[in-house]
Amino acid sequence: MTETTSAPLLEVTNLKTWFPSGRGEIKAVDGVSFSLAPGEVLGLVGESGSGKSITGFSIIGLIDEPGRIVEGSIRLEGRELIGLPPHELRAIRGKTISMVFQDPMMTLNPVLSIGTQIKLALEAHENISAADARERAIKALAQVRISEPERKVDFFPHQFSGGMRQRVAIAIALLHRPKLIICDEPTTALDVSIQAEILTEMKELVAELGTALIWISHDLAVVSSLADRVAVMRSGKIVEIGPALGVLTRPQHDYTKALLDALPSRAKPGQLLLRGSGIADAAPPPRKSTTLNLPPLGSPYLVVDNAMKRFEKPAGLFRSLAIKSGIAQPLPVVQAVDGVTITLKRGEVLGLVGESGSGKSTLGRMAAGITVPTSGTIRLNGRPVMSEGRNARKITTRIQTIFQDPFASLNGRMRIGDIIAEGPLAHKLVSRAEALVYVKEWLAAVGLDPTFANRFPHQFSGGQRQRIAIARALAMQPDVIVCDEPVASLDVSIQAQIINLLIRLRAELDLSLIFISHDLSVVRHLCDRVAIMYRGKIVEEGVASTIYADPQHDYTRRLLAAVPVLPEAAE
Amino acid sequence: MLGFVLQRLWQAAIVVIAMSALVFCGVYAVGNPIDVLISPDATQDIRAAVIAQYGLDQPLWRQYFAFLGRIVEGDFGRSLVYSIPVSELILTRLPATLELTLAAVLFASLVGIPIGMYAGYRPHSLVSRAIMAISILGFSVPTFWFGLMLIMVFAVQCGCMPAGGRGETVNLFGVDFSFLTGDGFAHLVLPALNLALFKFSLMIRLARAGTRELMLSDTVKFARAAGLSEFTVLSRHVLRLISIPLVTVFGLELGSTLAFAVVTETIFSWPGLGKLIIDSITSLDRPVMVAYLMLVALLFIVINLIVDLTYALLDPRLRKGRA
């Protein structure tokens, strides 16, 4: 982490990459300058739309039409890259500068074997025989710690897990021992523990090969664990750049401070986060149905008793005959949730934590009455959530759900007002005449302009959409809300606003929440109790602060250790 | 994989049986073949004798099972018009149609896909716009009109191409082929072009849409970032990824062209199946119609089976779980 004095490997000066649009130029990158020494790791941090990815793509010369670099210079070892003819740029790509992308599901070609894809990347820069290419591919896989590379080289991408796929992508990026690798959010789509593994390996590889790295991320903690220097971007400009420790512990610029303040890991649990709490939102409308006998706060409310969910693959005619006669093995069964018993007290926030595939979402969906459990019961205030019989369905409106992706969970062809009013109208919580007023009250309560009611979802940003999804859930006047990763796809500042909203509404409406998340810092901030899920079972459960301070189960310890931690702010 | 093939064969068998019942009942309902077979002034005795000879006095289900039994033995009956076995009749016509159809579909794919991919690769260039204009034309121009224009321009006005017939053929393995002789090939070009036009436009559109979408994908970006040349990106990555919808349409088009090349065959006097079926419908030649429809059903089933197997070949994700 010392300042190097050698000649810079990369020098970017006043880079401007603009995208012409119907409403004038979009200045995605607007005057960015920085330099990078050989072997240095630069973290490029910013929220979505800050221009950090476009900066990376500008360097490697892969700006999508109609974007173009209008001004500035990018020098690689003194050689100007802007204006190079396409074939010379191509000779640099993959050879001197290479790139790793966010989603390894999307970057590798699903119909070509790993070996073929590595071979193509090798052939791009050298003449190599098929046998040599295979040899090199095996070595490349071994270098990124993939076991049994001789066998795995013939695998197709779908036979690998997400982390393995990203390792393959890194192996391809490293093939020609480039001097610079640009990593665009390479661990964002991965689980914490896999992210931790990749981060460690990346650190080792970079040190071993002397490769410089530009690590683009929205996650300050990830960047701090890897980068020598950090640049913070906002609206196409670098607002602050300096040694990682300095920027993260003694931020100079207001925006950097705001970003850090928005992190739940920096705040006291349960308190409103500094950012996004300024607006005094309207109070939620009064409850209309008070006929239910609600138990006092703190008494057991939603009880999940030995819930189990199995997903079976339907077998075809021949296979089922073969299974019956003992020729073939039955198809594998996925035991998503394996006998979970858990109680949500009234007014409590229960965090459900685990990696992808741990069954946390399935459990949440069962608790919300969306998925029918294979066995076991779920009761709300003593009454079953699902009806009995073959075609079991949810029979209460008192549990509602907020989903992860506010883009997918709102019907794009319905107006916001209709989306929110749909449920209450169907369940006669409100009359058609009062519906609009009712919708507007809820929009105000989640901090949105009530006149938005006649707009369509595509006219809103991700954070606004998530507010709409919350308003839709609340308009049903539930007591319990199951939140399935509600902030996972949002930027930190928007995430802070949504967390604040949930904290506030919970208190005002006496809500009980099940909060499903892979983000341990968000869970600690919001939840009273935490349950850790692993392979369909709850391995540990208890008061949030206790679990974080003194984890008992092995898996919990590993999970907590894998979370990248920001250096503490200097007082 | 074996299980998958078995499953498909099983489904195919059911489809064939259902098809045979449908075809049999459908054709049974059309007209009375006896009126065609014997002269109107024949005596009632002769009439009854002929009816009995063809089994037309039996109940429908018995006739159906007799028909099934004969099919199993490979006997489709004799054509009422030509008085030769139907299977022989169809086999003399099938190669001509197969040749014409394959020529058309292969041309449409081999030329249409690269052109479409180019149009998707450079969507805003003038050439691409011209390609798209041509493809719209190809969709909207009626086949018969385009065929007539081809004949008028190339056969009548400039006289460089023959207007109809198969021309000189070569007999290979007991089957006549046109395309192996210069004269036969010249006879093949115009009808094949005419038949290909629609499919050609379709392939262009499909290839373009797929390529255009994929050029913006992370897969292509990642391949470019690794320094792959644009040609390699297109030929190794994009082509493989767009090939699944293309193969689907290729199969469907091949089947429907085989079955319904009627218009082109009529215009160019191509001695194929299309002409045969039209003739047999007008003369109520029941055995020919039945055999033809069964053949078409079988062709569709075989083509679809091949298409499905090709999917598994093209996309490794489909191989898993069925292995």
Side-chain angles (χ1 to χ4, degrees):
Chain A
M1 299 212 182
T2 48
E3 290 289 319
T4 41
T5 48
S6 53
L9 170 74
L10 181 80
E11 205 162 13
V12 178
T13 325
N14 196 27
L15 177 71
K16 290 187 179 174
T17 308
W18 293 1
F19 287 76
S21 80
R23 279 170 277 169
E25 302 271 355
I26 295 166
K27 298 173 180 176
V29 178
D30 194 21
V32 161
S33 306
F34 64 88
S35 72
L36 193 67
E40 190 184 3
V41 179
L42 174 74
L44 205 54
V45 184
E47 298 191 286
S48 41
S50 62
K52 55 191 196 300
S53 290
I54 304 291
T55 305
F57 283 119
S58 301
I59 295 168
I60 203 166
L62 286 176
I63 298 292
D64 278 328
E65 299 252 315
R68 69 212 147 82
I69 296 174
V70 291
E71 211 185 308
S73 118
I74 299 168
R75 284 175 180 276
L76 180 73
E77 299 181 306
R79 184 183 179 202
E80 179 62 53
L81 297 187
I82 294 175
L84 274 190
H87 69 274
E88 286 187 40
L89 261 180
R90 187 181 78 68
I92 291 171
R93 280 204 291 270
K95 179 109 180 130
T96 323
I97 308 178
S98 59
M99 192 153 178
V100 177
F101 294 69
Q102 172 170 353
D103 195 343
M105 304 269 234
M106 314 293 286
T107 49
L108 296 176
N109 189 332
V111 300
L112 296 180
S113 76
I114 299 301
T116 309
Q117 298 192 47
I118 295 180
K119 182 167 147 263
L120 288 175
L122 281 169
E123 283 169 351
H125 296 291
E126 52 196 87
N127 288 321
I128 188 164
S129 73
D132 285 350
R134 196 184 157 81
E135 201 58 36
R136 287 271 296 277
I138 292 170
K139 268 191 203 149
L141 293 183
Q143 189 180 28
V144 291
R145 326 275 199 275
I146 288 179
S147 60
E148 297 181 82
E150 295 84 2
R151 201 163 66 84
K152 303 254 169 86
V153 74
D154 295 318
F155 274 28
F156 288 89
H158 70 267
Q159 291 166 292
F160 286 105
S161 65
M164 284 295 171
R165 261 182 265 202
Q166 198 59 294
R167 286 199 173 92
V168 172
I170 292 169
I172 291 176
L174 284 172
L175 275 182
H176 298 282
R177 294 191 160 244
K179 297 201 167 99
L180 170 63
I181 303 179
I182 301 167
C183 298
D184 188 6
E185 305 256 11
T187 58
T188 307
L190 306 174
D191 274 328
V192 239
S193 53
I194 298 176
Q195 166 173 293
E197 281 172 32
I198 298 242
L199 281 176
T200 319
E201 284 167 25
M202 217 50 202
K203 258 187 242 178
E204 288 169 16
L205 281 171
V206 166
E208 192 181 310
L209 304 173
T211 310
L213 212 58
I214 296 182
W215 191 277
I216 299 168
S217 179
H218 70 282
D219 190 329
L220 290 160
V222 167
V223 168
S224 75
S225 72
L226 193 72
D228 302 321
R229 281 197 305 153
V230 169
V232 180
M233 279 193 79
R234 185 196 197 182
S235 320
K237 292 188 169 70
I238 290 182
V239 296
E240 183 164 2
I241 184 167
L245 201 64
V247 171
L248 296 173
T249 54
R250 289 178 303 278
Q252 299 302 310
H253 194 277
D254 283 347
Y255 180 68
T256 317
K257 285 180 194 158
L259 268 187
L260 288 164
D261 286 341
L263 291 175
S265 58
R266 286 275 174 114
K268 268 206 184 121
Q271 279 190 339
L272 292 184
L273 297 168
L274 282 172
R275 227 174 114 93
S277 58
I279 331 151
D281 297 327
R287 304 195 150 232
K288 310 219 164 163
S289 58
T290 43
T291 46
L292 276 171
N293 234 344
L294 293 179
L297 293 177
S299 55
Y301 196 41
L302 181 69
V303 180
V304 176
D305 188 17
N306 199 21
M308 219 186 274
K309 183 69 190 175
R310 223 179 264 141
F311 291 105
E312 279 168 51
K313 257 191 176 176
L317 175 71
F318 278 98
R319 188 172 282 275
S320 26
L321 283 178
I323 293 167
K324 269 189 194 142
S325 57
I327 302 167
Q329 293 290 314
L331 290 169
V333 170
V334 181
Q335 185 84 39
V337 174
D338 190 5
V340 166
T341 300
I342 196 163
T343 303
L344 174 72
K345 293 181 191 136
R346 184 148 180 268
E348 176 186 60
V349 183
L350 172 69
L352 223 48
V353 179
E355 301 190 350
S356 42
S358 63
K360 60 186 193 301
S361 280
T362 310
L363 179 60
R365 293 173 77 91
M366 286 196 291
I370 298 171
T371 302
V372 184
T374 312
S375 69
T377 56
I378 292 138
R379 287 170 180 278
L380 180 72
N381 204 12
R383 291 190 203 167
V385 166
M386 311 287 288
S387 61
E388 302 277 324
R390 270 179 75 84
N391 295 311
R393 58 187 196 89
K394 187 175 162 186
I395 47 175
T396 175
T397 59
R398 310 206 62 80
I399 308 179
Q400 293 296 320
T401 318
I402 302 166
F403 297 98
Q404 169 173 359
D405 188 349
F407 290 82
S409 64
L410 299 177
N411 184 343
R413 299 183 183 204
M414 282 171 77
R415 291 177 194 279
I416 300 306
D418 296 331
I419 289 177
I420 297 173
E422 195 181 22
L425 281 174
H427 290 278
K428 310 232 164 24
L429 292 178
V430 63
S431 71
R432 200 159 276 283
E434 303 161 40
L436 188 62
V437 178
Y438 184 70
V439 164
K440 285 185 171 174
E441 281 175 338
W442 279 112
L443 280 175
V446 296
L448 290 173
D449 184 342
T451 57
F452 287 169
N454 56 2
R455 295 201 188 169
F456 289 96
H458 70 86
Q459 292 169 292
F460 296 95
S461 68
Q464 285 175 319
R465 280 178 212 226
Q466 203 56 295
R467 282 168 192 260
I468 294 164
I470 293 172
R472 173 176 62 178
L474 289 175
M476 289 298 287
Q477 308 199 349
D479 304 311
V480 178
I481 299 186
V482 177
C483 311
D484 192 355
E485 302 261 13
V487 294
S489 56
L490 304 175
D491 275 327
V492 266
S493 57
I494 314 289
Q495 171 182 304
Q497 292 172 13
I498 298 292
I499 290 174
N500 283 348
L501 181 66
L502 287 174
I503 292 175
R504 208 198 83 215
L505 289 171
R506 172 206 172 187
E508 284 170 6
L509 295 169
D510 287 341
L511 291 173
S512 318
L513 300 183
I514 294 182
F515 192 88
I516 302 167
S517 181
H518 69 280
D519 189 331
L520 292 154
S521 62
V522 173
V523 169
R524 174 165 62 180
H525 188 75
L526 204 58
C527 300
D528 307 315
R529 274 193 315 135
V530 179
I532 314 279
M533 278 196 83
Y534 181 61
R535 296 195 179 167
K537 288 192 159 90
I538 288 182
V539 294
E540 189 165 358
E541 183 196 340
V543 178
S545 52
T546 320
I547 287 198
Y548 279 80
D550 183 23
Q552 296 300 313
H553 195 274
D554 235 20
Y555 176 72
T556 317
R557 275 187 219 135
R558 266 187 288 148
L559 203 61
L560 284 170
V563 178
V565 185
L566 270 175
E568 278 304 309
E571 293 301 326
Chain B
M1 201 69 205
L2 184 68
F4 171 62
V5 174
L6 277 177
Q7 195 184 341
R8 293 312 305 244
L9 286 177
W10 165 247
Q11 286 171 358
I14 293 174
V15 173
V16 169
I17 290 171
M19 187 66 196
S20 74
L22 274 178
V23 165
F24 189 80
C25 296
V27 172
Y28 189 87
V30 182
N32 184 352
I34 295 301
D35 298 340
V36 187
L37 275 175
I38 49 179
S39 59
D41 51 344
T43 65
Q44 200 57 38
D45 286 348
I46 296 177
R47 214 180 145 78
V50 174
I51 287 177
Q53 183 197 335
Y54 284 93
L56 295 172
D57 53 345
Q58 305 281 329
L60 183 58
W61 63 270
R62 204 177 278 252
Q63 285 190 42
Y64 175 63
F65 279 107
F67 158 77
L68 273 191
R70 287 199 300 274
I71 285 187
V72 170
E73 288 165 14
D75 175 16
F76 282 88
R78 292 177 88 81
S79 159
L80 304 184
V81 175
Y82 298 91
S83 278
I84 53 170
V86 170
S87 42
E88 203 174 295
L89 186 63
I90 284 185
L91 278 182
T92 55
R93 299 295 194 94
L94 185 62
T97 294
L98 265 180
E99 186 177 11
L100 179 63
T101 314
L102 278 176
V105 175
L106 283 179
F107 169 79
S109 309
L110 295 183
V111 182
I113 292 173
I115 288 184
M117 284 180 74
Y118 177 81
Y121 177 66
R122 294 226 176 284
H124 301 298
S125 79
L126 270 179
V127 179
S128 303
R129 281 165 209 246
I131 292 172
M132 292 325 284
I134 290 172
S135 88
I136 290 183
L137 218 63
F139 272 123
S140 29
V141 170
T143 314
F144 76 91
W145 183 85
F146 185 66
L148 291 178
M149 287 301 115
L150 281 177
I151 292 178
M152 227 173 80
V153 173
F154 291 102
V156 180
Q157 302 232 311
C158 74
C160 50
M161 287 287 182
R166 269 191 96 177
E168 199 184 322
T169 57
V170 181
N171 195 296
L172 261 185
F173 317 113
V175 181
D176 288 333
F177 288 102
S178 287
F179 76 99
L180 292 170
T181 67
D183 178 55
F185 187 74
H187 278 82
L188 182 63
V189 171
L190 288 189
L193 258 184
N194 187 36
L195 201 56
L197 182 69
F198 183 84
K199 288 153 250 312
F200 177 65
S201 311
L202 194 64
M203 286 295 175
I204 288 182
R205 301 228 131 208
L206 277 174
R208 173 183 182 265
T211 307
R212 212 177 157 183
E213 198 186 312
L214 277 169
M215 288 321 285
L216 300 174
S217 72
D218 279 355
T219 306
V220 164
K221 258 194 185 160
F222 185 65
R224 280 176 166 168
L228 269 62
S229 68
E230 295 296 283
F231 180 76
T232 317
V233 169
L234 283 171
S235 63
R236 298 301 301 269
H237 284 285
V238 176
L239 183 59
R240 276 298 298 272
L241 286 167
I242 62 171
S243 55
I244 287 186
L246 289 177
V247 166
T248 315
V249 173
F250 182 94
L252 286 176
E253 282 298 313
L254 186 64
S256 65
T257 317
L258 269 175
F260 313 113
V262 185
V263 175
T264 302
E265 287 186 359
T266 313
I267 294 173
F268 290 92
S269 330
W270 191 263
L273 280 175
K275 268 174 72 76
L276 179 68
I277 185 65
I278 293 292
D279 293 346
S280 57
I281 290 172
T282 48
S283 57
L284 270 183
D285 196 345
R286 272 192 190 176
V288 177
M289 288 197 275
V290 171
Y292 174 80
L293 290 174
M294 292 302 296
L295 178 74
V296 168
L298 203 67
L299 278 174
F300 265 95
I301 288 165
V302 170
I303 288 171
N304 273 319
L305 181 65
I306 295 173
V307 165
D308 281 347
L309 293 179
T310 316
Y311 282 170
L313 210 69
L314 286 174
D315 193 337
R317 287 167 293 186
L318 298 178
R319 275 176 237 161
K320 207 183 162 197
R322 282 169 173 170

